[in-house]
Amino acid sequence: MDTTMRRGSKIILFVVMSAIALIQIFPLIWLINFSFLKSGDFFGSSFLKWPEAFQWKNYADAFSNGRVPTYFMNSLFVTLTTVIVSAVLALMMSYAFTRMNWKLKGPTMNFIMLGMIIPIHATLLPNFIMFNKLNMLDHLGTLIIPYIAFSIPISMFIMTGFLETIPRVIEESAIIDGAGVFTILFRIILPMTKPAIATVSVLNFITWWNEFIMANTFLVSEDLKTLPFSIMKFTGQYSSNYGAQFAVMTCIAIPSILFYLLFTEQLTKGITAGAVKG
């Protein structure tokens, strides 16, 4: 009887979890489905509609008229630069805050953490004025700098929690052997913090890969715009090419999904370690 009840509970749990997973993944299925439809097929009562003929032309239009290749490379450069620099800076700063004793450490840490509650929109005008005076507008670096600044607080929040779980005796042994700070940081701490680095990298990649408001404020040149601008190429006042828009949105979504799947295991370890310590 107990075995039967346990088996029934497992089946119910499997059905419930499968339903939740289907709900979670449905927007992606819906997005891909609509990217293969004609623009006239979008209007109807069906959530999903099997295309009479797969409209690969939507993707051809996205790549030619939407300038997806150029915008994709700009987004890739800006996002990867932000992710790498943010991870390195967050690791170094987190190590200084968790392993070193220095004056004003606590207030400085609290000041940096305040960055997590500042909305991006509140910084648009001050940043625009500052970049304009520095003659830095319409440059990819104009995006990378604020992206890194907004990434540091949340990255440090995760990284410091993970560093607290690493026993200090490992570093003490390295110090006895004559290792310096940078040797300890990059040859001992860095390999041990891969889950935390993967966690902050995935979060930052997903955040900045889809960012549009800053890019729309600071960039003007067509050759410098990022991938979300491709959607606007197919939006008009009186008509829109919905098929090409869904094709562009699919192109935008796929890299984030691949990046997430690539680091899923490390991401889980990083979040779990920080949560246990907290």
Side-chain angles (χ1 to χ4, degrees):
M1 184 65 180
D2 291 341
T3 305
T4 305
M5 290 182 65
R6 282 199 295 271
R7 185 175 299 171
S9 300
K10 288 182 179 178
I11 293 174
I12 294 174
L13 180 62
F14 176 78
V15 172
V16 172
M17 297 303 293
S18 299
I20 294 174
L22 183 61
I23 293 172
Q24 293 282 341
I25 202 172
F26 179 77
L28 180 62
I29 298 173
W30 179 77
L31 179 66
I32 296 174
N33 173 245
F34 274 40
S35 69
F36 288 108
L37 296 178
K38 294 179 181 177
S39 293
D41 295 336
F42 294 107
F43 306 100
S45 58
S46 301
F47 287 116
L48 295 175
K49 186 176 182 180
W50 187 259
E52 296 179 0
F54 284 84
Q55 298 299 310
W56 295 102
K57 181 178 179 298
N58 294 335
Y59 286 89
D61 290 341
F63 274 70
S64 57
N65 300 330
R67 304 195 66 180
V68 166
T70 301
Y71 294 173
F72 182 91
M73 294 307 297
N74 291 337
S75 288
L76 193 65
F77 173 75
V78 170
T79 307
L80 288 183
T81 302
T82 302
V83 168
I84 294 171
V85 175
S86 299
V88 173
L89 290 178
L91 176 64
M92 296 174 69
M93 295 170 68
S94 300
Y95 184 81
F97 280 107
T98 56
R99 291 297 200 268
M100 299 178 180
N101 294 318
W102 43 282
K103 197 174 182 180
L104 299 177
K105 183 174 73 171
T108 306
M109 180 73 173
N110 293 333
F111 182 74
I112 294 174
M113 289 296 114
L114 284 176
M116 289 196 295
I117 63 174
I118 298 176
I120 289 178
H121 306 83
T123 66
L124 284 178
L125 183 57
N127 280 338
F128 181 86
I129 295 173
M130 182 181 66
F131 288 139
N132 188 37
K133 288 186 177 180
L134 295 174
N135 198 25
M136 291 178 60
L137 286 176
D138 201 24
H139 190 278
L140 291 180
T142 313
L143 291 182
I144 294 173
I145 293 173
Y147 285 0
I148 293 174
F150 274 100
S151 299
I152 290 296
I154 184 63
S155 300
M156 281 188 59
F157 181 76
I158 296 172
M159 202 82 77
T160 51
F162 192 87
L163 282 174
E164 292 289 354
T165 66
I166 299 177
R168 295 171 184 263
V169 65
I170 299 174
E171 298 160 65
E172 292 171 358
S173 301
I175 293 173
I176 293 174
D177 292 338
V181 173
F182 287 100
T183 301
I184 294 173
L185 182 60
F186 290 106
R187 299 187 65 178
I188 298 176
I189 298 297
L190 178 61
M192 299 173 68
T193 54
K194 283 182 180 177
I197 293 174
T199 302
V200 300
S201 297
V202 170
L203 293 177
N204 290 332
F205 186 93
I206 293 174
T207 300
W208 303 122
W209 180 258
N210 301 311
E211 201 282 325
F212 178 71
I213 186 68
M214 278 192 184
N216 192 38
T217 304
F218 301 146
L219 297 180
V220 177
S221 301
E222 286 293 324
D223 292 336
L224 296 177
K225 290 182 177 178
T226 51
L227 199 50
F229 282 92
S230 293
I231 300 174
M232 299 178 64
K233 294 285 185 182
F234 304 100
T235 303
Q237 184 176 2
Y238 300 106
S239 63
S240 297
N241 186 345
Y242 296 113
Q245 287 184 32
F246 277 96
V248 171
M249 286 188 281
T250 303
C251 294
I252 294 174
I254 288 176
S256 298
I257 296 170
L258 294 177
F259 198 78
Y260 175 81
L261 294 177
L262 190 63
F263 295 101
T264 298
E265 185 178 354
Q266 299 291 334
L267 179 67
T268 305
K269 290 180 180 177
I271 293 177
T272 304
V276 170
K277 184 63 182 177

